[in-house]
Amino acid sequence: MEIKIKSFLNTTEDDSVHIYVDGSYDKETEWYAYGMVVLKADGTYEEYSDKFNDEELKSMWNVAGEIMGACAAMQYAIDYEIPKITIFHDYEGISKWPLGEWKAKKEGTRAYINFYNEASKKCDIKFKKVTGHSGDKYNDMADKLARKALGLD
């Protein structure tokens, strides 16, 4: 499996696969979405997005999309048996909740922590905060994918 991972995905100097995530929210429809960009070893990338309308999570607006994007990145790693990922995100809660730096007060954030705890048993998960809307190519792509999933772009 190591050969498949090395040939298919972008492993870096820290030997992790880099995955960018972002979220968005549409106030009119009350749907939220995530965008995800997985970098590949050959310099290309894969794009993913999805939208949701869960009653509990939609009250969190775009944060719900951010959480779903991080969960999608972790699930991707599990599905492809990737041993180590770095999730690039622009919303600081994506790392602060699972690392215990913020208290999870809502059901959605508690569920996110539980998902992280289970996923981290199968994959080493690191987080890297990037500045949103700052010209970071892949963060901007993830943002656009989330907006497109909602029909906003």
Side-chain angles (χ1 to χ4, degrees):
M1 196 50 113
E2 183 72 17
I3 294 171
K4 176 183 175 187
I5 292 168
K6 291 270 187 200
S7 65
F8 178 68
L9 299 167
N10 181 36
T11 53
T12 58
E13 64 279 349
D14 65 356
D15 204 30
S16 73
V17 172
H18 289 185
I19 304 175
Y20 285 75
V21 300
D22 206 355
S24 191
Y25 180 76
D26 183 346
K27 290 179 186 177
E28 287 185 29
T29 64
E30 297 185 334
W31 283 73
Y32 56 92
Y34 76 85
M36 180 173 83
V37 179
V38 180
L39 303 185
K40 294 173 63 175
D42 64 3
T44 63
Y45 52 86
E46 293 181 346
E47 299 177 341
Y48 298 90
S49 63
D50 204 353
K51 66 179 183 175
F52 309 88
N53 190 15
D54 178 86
E55 284 298 318
E56 173 66 28
L57 287 177
K58 74 180 184 182
S59 68
M60 297 171 62
W61 294 22
N62 67 305
V63 173
E66 306 273 357
I67 288 171
M68 295 306 290
C71 289
M74 291 180 236
Q75 189 62 55
Y76 185 95
I78 292 166
D79 291 348
Y80 285 96
E81 300 178 6
I82 300 168
K84 191 174 186 181
I85 62 171
T86 301
I87 298 174
F88 290 78
H89 58 93
D90 61 13
Y91 178 70
E92 64 184 321
I94 293 305
S95 61
K96 298 218 182 250
W97 281 311
L99 299 178
E101 296 173 23
W102 282 5
K103 182 174 173 127
K105 298 176 184 173
K106 295 185 177 188
E107 182 59 35
T109 54
R110 288 191 294 271
Y112 173 55
I113 290 170
N114 290 337
F115 190 92
Y116 167 82
N117 287 337
E118 289 303 310
S120 66
K121 293 175 185 176
K122 300 174 183 171
C123 175
D124 181 16
I125 303 164
K126 303 289 185 220
F127 297 96
K128 180 150 177 74
K129 170 89 169 64
V130 297
T131 303
H133 310 285
S134 65
D136 182 301
K137 176 181 177 178
Y138 299 111
N139 179 257
D140 290 348
M141 288 173 69
D143 178 62
K144 187 170 183 145
L145 287 166
R147 293 182 51 76
K148 186 176 179 182
L150 295 171
L152 299 174
D153 269 354

